[in-house]
Every structure is written in C-alpha cells, then in structure tokens.
Amino acid sequence: MASNVVTRFMEKHAALSGKPHRVRSSAEAADAIADILAAIGAQRVALANLSQELSAAIERTLSGKVLELRKEPFPASTLPHAIDDCQAGITGMAFGIAQTATLAEIAVNDAQRLVSALPRTHIGIVHAKDVVETLEDAAPLLRSIFQQNPSNCTVSFISGPSRTGDIELKLTLGVHGPGEQHAIIIEE
Amino acid sequence: MADVHQAALKARIVKALEEPKHSAALLRCMQRGRDNRARALTELPGGADFRGTVKAVKDRCIEHQVELVNRFIANAEARGTRVFCARNGQEAIDYVLKLASDRKAKVIAKSKSLTTEEIEINDPLIEAGLKVIETDLGELIIQLVHEKPYHLVFPSVHKMAADVAKIFAKETGTEVSEDIPSIMKVVRAYLRPIFLNADIGMTGANVGIAENGCIVIETNEGNGRLVSSIGDCHVCVMGIEKIVDTIEDAMLMVLAHPVSASGQLPTTYVTWMGGRSPLGEGESRGPRESHIILLDNGRRSTRDDVAMRESLNCIRCGACMNVCPTYGVVGGHVFGHIYPGPIGIPWTAQVHGLENAGAFASLCISCGLCKEICPAEIDMPMMIAEVKRRFAVEHGFAKAERTMMGADGFAALGSAMAPIANRMIQSKTARKVMRATLGIDERRALPPFTHQTFKKWFHARKRVSQESKRRVAFFVDVFANHNRPDLGQSAVELLERLGCEVALPEQRSSGYPFIAYGNLDKAREVATFNIARLAPFAKDGYDIVATEPTAAYCLKSAYLTLLHSSNDSEFVAGRSHEFFEYLIDFDTGTTEFPSLKGRRFGFHISCHQRPLGAGHGAVEWIRRHGGEVKIIETGTCCGMGGTFGLKSGPLGYDLSMAVGKPLFDLFNQSGVDAILTESSVCAIQLREGTGLPVYHPLELLAQ
C-alpha cells in the first residue's frame, strides 16, 4: 500500500519536472544526495529541518566531498546571504502528498524556508510513511501542525521546481526559486 | 448620452483591432488555459463538479462573513500579527506609508497581488521615495513599461520574448538576447539583490483562514516565499472576501484556483503562513513584524447588494477571461478598468464605481460562457446586465441597443409589410438610412421576413386528431416566428408524426435582448408573462419545447434568475427542453426521411446551447439518419452574440467578425460540405464569415 502511494508521488513529481528518488535508508539517502551534489558541482550546501540521524548520515557521506556544510542555527547577522551563497539546500519534510507530488515543509524560523527557496537546487527528504494520498488528507495534518505551533509557524507546499510561463506561455524553470528540485523518499 | 459614452470605447476597439499580434498571443493563452483546465478536470475525482462545492463554500463564508472576519482577526493577532481594517484604498496606502516611514524602509519587494493593483498602492509609495519592485515576472514586465495587467493570470501575455528582452536591456543597461533562458538569467540576477535587501515584503493572500488566523499565498515562481521571509517586515493586503472558515475550505480554494487558472493542482508553492517567524538565531537584525491589511473598499456594501453579492465568490482564477469572446480580441486594456474581463465588470462597478464599469460593460455580448466555466458558478451575465441597467438609468441606452431591444416590434412590422421590408433590407440606400437611424450595420445580410408568421400558420392549419403519446407546448422565438416559420412548421410536423400533440400557448418572444443590453425591468416583465402562460401547460403534463437555443436557455436558466426561482419558473424549467435533446429520446431514426448518407456536416454549438447539452441531441439525430457530422469549435463564441453582430461599427459588426475569424478559418479548413447550427443568428454570422451553406438541422427534412 505504502509503496503504491510512493509510486504515485514519484510519477506525478516527474511529470512536474521534479527529480524523485526512492531509497531504503538514511545512508542511501545520503549517497543519493552525494551523487546529486557531485553532478551539479556544489561546494557550499545548506541543511535545515533534518533529524539527527539524517543530518549525521549526510555529514558523514559528504565529508571531504563538499567545501562547506552550513547548518542550523544560522546566525541572524549572516542572513540571508549565507544561504543565498549555497549552490544547494537540503531540507527535511513533514509529509508528502501523492496526488500533487507535494512536499510539505514546516518552518518556525524563516531561515529554514530560505534553505528550500534561495539555492538553485533543492533536495527535500520525506519518509514514505508520511506520504498521504490527496490534498484532502493533508487538511487534518495542517490543523494539528498549527495547533502545536500556536504562535508563529509557516507550512510550505512545494510541488516541483520554480516555474513561470510569463513569457510567451513557455514553461521556464528556476526563475526565482530552485530550477532543480529533488524529492528523496525513504522507505524503511 | 450612451452613444457619446460608447464613442470612446469604440475608438479603443478600433485601435485594438489594429494590433492583431496582441490578440493572437492572447487567444493562444486563453486556448491553453482552457485546454489545461480541461485536462486537469480529468484528474479530479468529481471532474467539473468541484464548481458546485466551491460555490457552496463561498456562499457559506460570505453569509457568515462578519463572524469569520472577527475570528480571523482574533486568531491572527494571537499569532502576533497586527491586523488593520482599511475602509478604502487610501486608508491602506496611508497605513503602509506610515509603516515604511517608521521603519525608515527604502526597498519594498512585492509579490503579485491584484488587491494592491486595485488600490494602486505603488505610485504613492514611489512618490514617497520608496523603491517598489514587483517580483512576479509578468507583473515586473508591465511595471517597467507602466501598463496595467492585460490578463489576470498572465499580465504580460501581450509582450513577446523580443519585447521583454528590450525592456530588460533598457532597465539593466546591458545587452539581453531574445531567447527566454537568457532573459531568465538576467531577471534572476536583476531581482536577487532586491529580494535579499528588501526592508518590507508585500504580498496579497489567496485565502485567509478564520480557524487559525493563517493566510495562504500561492505562487509558481517562488517569489512569494522570498518576499514573505526575508524582509523584517511583511505586509499582506487582502480583501475581506478571501476569508474562509476552515482549513478544509482553504484547501478547496487552493485546488480550485489553479485548476481553473492554469490547469495545475496546486501551484508549485503554497505558503500557509501563521504569524511572523524569526530569521536565524542570536544577534537579531531588528524586530520582525507581520501586518495584515483587511480591505473593505466596497466589499461590505457589495455583500448587502443582492444583485451583486455573488461577485464576492470570485477566487481570481481568470477562467472567465479565458473564454470571453470579445475580451480575446481587444484584451484587458480595453476590456477592463483595473480588473479585466467579464468579472471585471461587476468588480469595477463595486470598487471603482459605475462610471468606470459602464465604460466597457457593453463589450459583454451576453453569450453566458463565463458562467459555465466559473469555478464558483457566478452568474456573471446577469450581474453584468444589472451593471448595464444601472448605467442606463444614468445615461440611457445607445441607439443600436434600443433597436435590438425593439426587435420584436420591428419584426412584427417586417412581417406585416414583408414585400416592402424585404426590398428595404436589400437596398443599399435604405441600409445606409437604417444604419444612421437604427444602428444596424449595412454590411450585415439580414434575413427576409415572411408575411405568414409561424403563429398565423399554426392557428390556421387543420389538425388531424389522433391519439397522442406525448403532449408538447411549443415555444417559438422572434426569429422562428417572423423570419423562418418553416423551421417551426417542420418541428411541429415532425413532433406530430412521432405521435405528439402540439399546442401553442399564448407567448411573447424570449426577450433575451433585454438581458443582453441591460433592460432587466423589461426582461422580467417578459419572463413573468411567459412563465404565467406556460406554467399551466407544464402543470398539466405538457413538455415545453423550443427550437431556438436562446429561447430554451431562457426557459431553463435565465427566467429562473429573473424571477428569483419562483415556483412556476422552477416548474417550467423542469419541463422545458431544447428541441433535439427532447426528440432524441424517442425518434430512433426510423421516421420516413431522406437519408443523409454521404453528406459531411460541420456542427456549430451556439453559446446558449452549451449548458443545455452542447448540441448532443442534434448531432446524434443527424448520425442516426446517416449523416456524417463533426463538431467544429474554438471553444468560444462565433462572434454574433445574439444581436450584437447586427449593430454597426466597432462595437458590433467589426468586433463580431474579428471574434469569429478563427472559427471561420476552422470551418473553411475542415472540408465539410455545409455547416449545421440550431441558432438562427449564429447561422447568419457563419454564412457570412465562411461562405459555406449553413442549415438548421430541421431544414434537412425538406431537402
């Protein structure tokens, strides 16, 4: 059942010019990330919203492969430039929606939003068990997120790369946000 | 008076007709929007049924608006957001000016917001010394050339890549190649420092949620995310009608909006923003603030205005402009004030005043297609008729409009004096006089009148009594009565051959021109008359049948609105049928009738027929009788718009032919022998535009 949801997510994501990857563990996720970063030659990479386990796996794998990993906490005085300066941003996602190939990101600090918004490449990581079928299924999830964060909280739905059709209606990727958007789905 | 007002509009239409490149780009955009929407609907479990759900949610939220606004404010403030209620644009502008001055702000980065367009906030901010930059690419392009949006969703659709390259070359002082990827690189580099250094980020909101005080911002480019996160101060300007009750309501809007706008579900980025977050940790760069300006600007009075209230259901998807025939030719600079397109007419009337709306309302030809595509099922044609009515109270009706609304009496006179009238409509001199006195274009071939009207024929003929299986009350419109009684005769004879007893209740012609030109008092009078005469037949078990699509549309839809869904109007609507939709249930194709084998027809769907089965009955009937028939369509109107194309000049014949051109081309390239359509006025237009023979399907009976 879960894998069907993942398949649907991946098909839709690819149709939206996204790049989906299915992996079996945090370690495999880190390997996939290393390959993506190597392909684009990223030297400075920002990380946000990741579990301890994922963060550790990524740091281990990328050690020596990239020049600099920038992690939370981001000093306020260096923002937004410290993130804009990165070629790739890697963020953990709260849940996914298969119907629309949406990755949902929870941010209680806007620096987390910038990691998925400023660099040219964004890699979002979600666990297969957190992928729901439809937008409708996402409503109760949103409700509980906002109840758990009664002061400030922003949830961002990200469905593929930044796009525009404003010139001659021709689809163009990456006008402001990432032109390359990866979804890594971990099935454990 | 009204003619004077229309003179300015006519001049703008003439100018737009001289720019066919803009119209071609716009028509491509509209076609793409419709195709993508249709494709997206196949991915929705309920298909087009989501429209009813959206309408129900919007109706409920507008009904409970006062309570929802209060709850939204309380919940947004609980999240630390400051909420300001602006009664009008000036109050909103003053609030932002003060904010900018208090914060010593220099740069405001904006993401696309029609509400800030509505109140024209940019100019006063720029005059106060602020740098205000639109970051949505389309909005930026038009900002740089000081224009207004050409289309709601694609504001710069009339600018080609070469134009855009020139605009950015001038702005950046560098050379910009004309290919889109190169332009994008320039745009990204141009806007990046603005995003990074903005003191204030200003956005609109697609939805506000009462339940938790969140706003929802939908974008595809991602500019909304940057504008709402980097600057230490975020200002959101939103109309109060955007507030819904629950997250589920908001989710529906998040889906309905892009499905209708661009065929996406949903937009690439949907930001659910609840309160203001810090940016980074430790040493702060200053306090982070979030402000929401809730704008009234005529919305509360619109809610109290029964005829206009439904316009608050608009979710700003732009679907209505993707199907509007005249908008496609003249574009949003002519067909709009600030809000363009069909919904732009009632919205302009409510927020920018009746005078501004009246200046372009007569571009609406009342085809009704906007209502059929609107995700919230807003009855735009009737609302626009009401705007026309209010404008006419001040300024009267234009000459040609008076003629068209008097068509009934004119036709009666034509029939009474048929030989003379028919010589007149053939005479060049007489036609010039008719243009000057009646506003009818002399280039338009008018159908001849017959001395014996359908009604006279019906009452004079001998009826053979027979046992009837069905009882039919026939509803005839002005044209079928005075110009083509043969069609009504064929219909009646065919129904009788198939075992129906046919009655002709006392009736007036449908009166649709009164709706089209905004004489709603007259329209209501006609509707009341006809419903009073038809209801007893309907209650007695008669089925009511009309051969003219517009007449059937009146019975099934327009009269209901005019009479506020009175019991009798509901009863009549429930028993009314478009002729072939009715016939197809029991005419199995076995009636004696010349076979249509070997003949190839192209079928034209008249606009008013679209909600009545879209010609399915007629097409099926032709096929059952051996004819080959395919529907040929652009998805919009043939341009005739009822009587619109009979009127002289730019606000009539010229515009009507320009609208029809793409459809004429399709018919001429299709290789069909003849065109079939059930609408008498579409037939005039298609005959003239294509040079092909045009028939009503009933005419084939006689051939």
Side-chain angles (χ1 to χ4, degrees):
Chain A
M1 176 64 194
S3 71
N4 285 343
V5 175
V6 172
T7 305
R8 278 191 284 280
F9 181 99
M10 291 177 69
E11 282 170 7
K12 183 70 187 175
H13 192 248
L16 293 173
S17 315
K19 296 185 176 176
H21 312 260
R22 190 199 291 249
V23 299
R24 275 169 307 186
S25 64
S26 298
E28 274 192 30
D31 289 339
I33 289 168
D35 291 346
I36 295 164
L37 297 181
I40 59 169
Q43 282 303 307
R44 286 179 303 281
V45 178
L47 309 180
N49 255 340
L50 293 166
S51 66
Q52 286 259 310
E53 187 202 345
L54 260 171
S55 187
I58 292 167
E59 281 179 63
R60 250 193 328 271
T61 310
L62 294 185
S63 159
K65 291 185 180 159
V66 299
L67 209 59
E68 199 181 340
L69 277 183
R70 294 181 181 165
K71 299 188 297 175
E72 296 173 271
F74 297 99
S77 56
T78 65
L79 295 179
H81 302 84
I83 295 170
D84 185 50
D85 207 24
C86 293
Q87 287 94 19
I90 303 170
T91 59
M93 296 297 186
F95 62 90
I97 307 168
Q99 180 194 18
T100 53
T102 299
L103 294 170
E105 169 200 278
I106 303 174
V108 291
N109 190 303
D110 278 338
Q112 296 165 325
R113 284 213 273 161
L114 293 184
V115 174
S116 58
L118 280 172
R120 279 185 185 276
T121 297
H122 170 237
I123 304 169
I125 307 172
V126 69
H127 289 276
K129 65 176 171 46
D130 297 325
V131 180
V132 299
E133 281 285 357
T134 65
L135 275 178
E136 241 175 356
D137 298 332
L141 301 176
L142 281 176
R143 177 166 292 114
S144 90
I145 291 167
F146 283 106
Q147 277 166 357
Q148 283 161 29
N149 296 279
S151 55
N152 61 292
C153 177
T154 300
V155 177
S156 302
F157 282 7
I158 300 173
S159 314
S162 155
R163 56 172 63 209
T164 184
D166 277 348
I167 303 179
E168 298 184 5
L169 301 176
K170 290 186 179 131
L171 174 65
T172 316
L173 302 180
V175 56
H176 306 308
E180 193 172 313
Q181 209 273 317
H182 297 262
I184 296 182
I185 302 146
I186 304 178
E187 285 185 308
E188 276 170 310
Chain B
M1 269 296 267
D3 287 288
V4 178
H5 271 84
Q6 288 187 353
L9 177 61
K10 285 177 183 171
R12 288 199 295 276
I13 296 170
V14 170
K15 210 165 149 245
L17 290 174
E18 286 164 0
E19 300 262 20
K21 245 174 52 190
H22 287 184
S23 171
L26 182 57
L27 290 171
R28 272 199 303 277
C29 162
M30 293 161 60
Q31 178 79 53
R32 174 90 74 91
R34 295 197 302 269
D35 291 349
N36 288 347
R37 173 185 178 271
R39 204 171 306 124
L41 286 184
T42 64
E43 288 183 39
L44 285 183
D49 290 351
F50 79 100
R51 298 168 70 232
T53 320
V54 172
K55 178 177 166 47
V57 167
K58 286 296 295 188
D59 279 347
R60 166 165 53 79
C61 294
I62 298 298
E63 174 66 28
H64 297 119
Q65 188 174 70
V66 177
E67 189 264 323
L68 292 185
V69 168
N70 288 338
R71 194 141 48 89
F72 174 80
I73 294 172
N75 284 327
E77 285 178 345
R79 292 182 172 277
T81 300
R82 278 180 238 168
V83 182
F84 173 67
C85 295
R87 278 173 299 183
N88 51 45
Q90 193 56 51
E91 287 191 358
I93 291 167
D94 291 343
Y95 185 87
V96 178
L97 279 170
K98 174 148 192 322
L99 197 64
S101 141
D102 289 351
R103 300 187 63 91
K104 300 187 174 53
K106 294 186 188 72
V107 179
I108 299 184
K110 284 183 72 193
S111 90
K112 184 173 178 176
S113 150
L114 285 159
T115 311
T116 62
E117 297 262 2
E118 170 190 324
I119 59 173
E120 300 182 89
I121 200 170
N122 289 8
D123 288 344
L125 294 176
I126 291 166
E127 279 160 27
L130 287 148
K131 185 170 176 165
V132 182
I133 306 289
E134 296 287 351
T135 62
D136 171 84
L137 177 56
E139 289 284 329
L140 175 62
I141 293 169
I142 61 164
Q143 186 190 25
L144 292 176
V145 290
H146 309 289
E147 287 182 18
K148 286 177 184 173
Y150 205 73
H151 185 281
L152 210 68
V153 179
F154 299 100
S156 64
V157 65
H158 58 304
K159 303 288 182 202
M160 300 293 105
D163 305 321
V164 178
K166 272 196 205 92
I167 293 167
F168 282 104
K170 191 175 162 215
E171 179 63 20
T172 59
T174 55
E175 254 181 60
V176 181
S177 4
E178 292 182 359
D179 64 294
I180 297 176
S182 305
I183 298 173
M184 289 299 167
K185 276 193 197 120
V186 173
V187 172
R188 193 172 164 114
Y190 173 79
L191 283 177
R192 197 46 55 141
I194 290 162
F195 283 126
L196 298 181
N197 299 312
D199 302 299
I200 295 177
M202 190 186 291
T203 68
N206 297 85
V207 192
I209 310 173
E211 175 186 338
N212 60 6
C214 279
I215 54 169
V216 186
I217 307 168
E218 302 167 27
T219 74
N220 279 316
E221 297 178 0
N223 56 323
R225 300 191 75 208
L226 296 176
V227 165
S228 64
S229 57
I230 298 176
D232 280 333
C233 180
H234 171 237
V235 183
C236 162
V237 184
M238 69 186 283
I240 52 172
E241 85 285 6
K242 297 278 177 62
I243 295 175
V244 299
D245 189 355
T246 64
I247 294 173
E248 282 76 8
D249 295 340
M251 198 63 88
L252 181 66
M253 300 306 146
V254 162
L255 185 141
H257 182 223
V259 162
S260 316
S262 55
Q264 287 174 286
L265 43 127
T267 53
T268 305
Y269 301 106
V270 181
T271 300
W272 307 74
M273 195 173 176
R276 187 64 168 163
S277 295
L279 181 66
E281 317 271 344
E283 171 218 343
S284 173
R285 305 182 308 159
R288 305 263 295 166
E289 286 178 11
S290 144
H291 301 257
I292 295 175
I293 299 176
L294 281 182
L295 182 71
D296 177 350
N297 208 30
R299 288 163 174 79
R300 285 194 171 87
S301 59
T302 299
R303 184 169 170 271
D304 298 333
D305 184 341
V306 178
M308 295 291 155
R309 178 173 178 153
E310 226 184 52
S311 64
L312 297 173
N313 287 1
C314 175
I315 60 169
R316 305 271 191 274
C317 67
C320 59
M321 51 212 76
N322 284 347
V323 77
C324 175
T326 48
Y327 167 81
V329 173
V330 300
H333 294 164
V334 179
F335 202 131
H337 176 62
I338 289 174
Y339 287 114
I343 194 64
I345 297 172
W347 263 86
T348 301
Q350 299 304 302
V351 305
H352 296 121
L354 186 60
E355 289 298 306
N356 287 317
F360 68 101
S362 45
L363 280 167
C364 164
I365 61 176
S366 210
C367 65
L369 296 176
C370 47
K371 180 187 169 193
E372 302 310 319
I373 202 169
C374 174
E377 298 181 345
I378 300 173
D379 195 343
M380 276 172 267
M382 205 56 90
M383 218 173 271
I384 293 168
E386 175 62 17
V387 172
K388 290 172 176 171
R389 185 192 72 79
R390 292 178 186 183
F391 192 69
V393 168
E394 303 290 323
H395 305 285
F397 290 104
K399 179 174 58 198
E401 294 170 351
R402 289 196 302 271
T403 302
M404 297 312 159
M405 290 190 287
D408 214 5
F410 186 64
L413 189 68
S415 286
M417 311 172 38
I420 302 168
N422 290 338
R423 268 204 305 280
M424 271 177 67
I425 60 177
Q426 302 288 347
S427 146
K428 275 189 180 166
T429 324
R431 290 300 299 266
K432 276 185 188 149
V433 175
M434 280 168 72
R435 180 187 37 159
T437 55
L438 300 171
I440 297 175
D441 203 287
E442 73 262 39
R443 291 164 290 181
R444 183 62 79 185
L446 294 177
F449 296 99
T450 54
H451 189 62
Q452 190 186 40
T453 64
F454 171 81
K455 287 181 187 173
K456 272 196 212 159
W457 168 83
F458 188 90
H459 294 302
R461 84 210 160 100
K462 285 201 188 88
R463 259 178 277 193
V464 191
S465 68
Q466 56 170 3
E467 203 180 318
S468 62
K469 288 178 242 152
R470 291 159 181 268
R471 293 190 297 165
V472 171
F474 199 71
F475 187 66
V476 60
D477 207 350
V478 56
F479 185 84
N481 187 38
H482 295 286
N483 303 83
R484 291 297 303 271
D486 55 316
L487 297 179
Q489 291 166 20
S490 298
V492 169
E493 284 163 2
L494 183 55
L495 286 168
E496 287 178 343
R497 245 192 292 168
L498 290 163
C500 304
E501 176 206 317
V502 183
L504 186 66
E506 188 192 5
Q507 57 190 268
R508 290 193 199 159
S509 49
S510 72
Y512 198 80
F514 294 123
I515 298 173
Y517 299 109
N519 192 342
L520 288 179
D521 301 328
K522 267 307 230 197
R524 199 162 283 120
E525 187 189 308
V526 173
T528 307
F529 183 94
N530 283 335
I531 291 295
R533 301 305 182 285
L534 294 174
F537 281 84
K539 287 176 184 165
D540 199 22
Y542 279 81
D543 297 315
I544 301 162
V545 172
T547 51
E548 188 74 50
T550 296
Y553 180 77
C554 282
L555 296 175
K556 286 200 80 71
S557 172
Y559 286 176
L560 282 173
T561 316
L562 287 170
L563 302 179
H564 311 296
S565 297
S566 68
N567 285 343
D568 278 0
S569 65
E570 290 271 11
F571 213 90
V572 168
R575 293 205 72 102
S576 290
H577 305 269
E578 205 252 340
F579 181 75
F580 282 104
E581 298 298 330
Y582 182 68
L583 197 69
I584 203 66
D585 278 347
F586 58 94
D587 180 7
T588 50
T590 51
T591 32
E592 268 181 57
F593 178 56
S595 170
L596 299 171
K597 269 215 173 72
R599 302 189 61 177
R600 301 172 64 220
F601 301 106
F603 188 85
H604 167 68
I605 307 169
S606 99
C607 294
H608 287 162
Q609 189 169 32
R610 287 189 184 266
L612 307 175
H616 153 270
V619 168
E620 177 61 24
W621 186 79
I622 305 288
R623 286 184 182 147
R624 281 186 196 170
H625 288 92
E628 193 186 314
V629 58
K630 57 179 172 184
I631 291 172
I632 293 175
E633 60 173 336
T634 55
T636 175
C637 175
C638 69
M640 191 64 167
T643 57
F644 178 85
L646 297 176
K647 297 191 296 164
S648 67
L651 194 57
Y653 185 86
D654 297 337
L655 185 50
S656 143
M657 288 315 236
V659 169
K661 179 76 170 51
L663 182 63
F664 305 156
D665 292 345
L666 281 185
F667 271 111
N668 282 327
Q669 291 152 12
S670 68
V672 298
D673 312 323
I675 299 172
L676 296 178
T677 183
E678 290 163 85
S679 159
S680 53
V681 275
C682 298
I684 299 174
Q685 171 84 338
L686 292 172
R687 201 170 288 130
E688 216 161 314
T690 64
L692 289 165
V694 182
Y695 305 114
H696 188 288
L698 280 168
E699 279 180 84
L700 302 176
L701 282 172
Q703 287 180 356

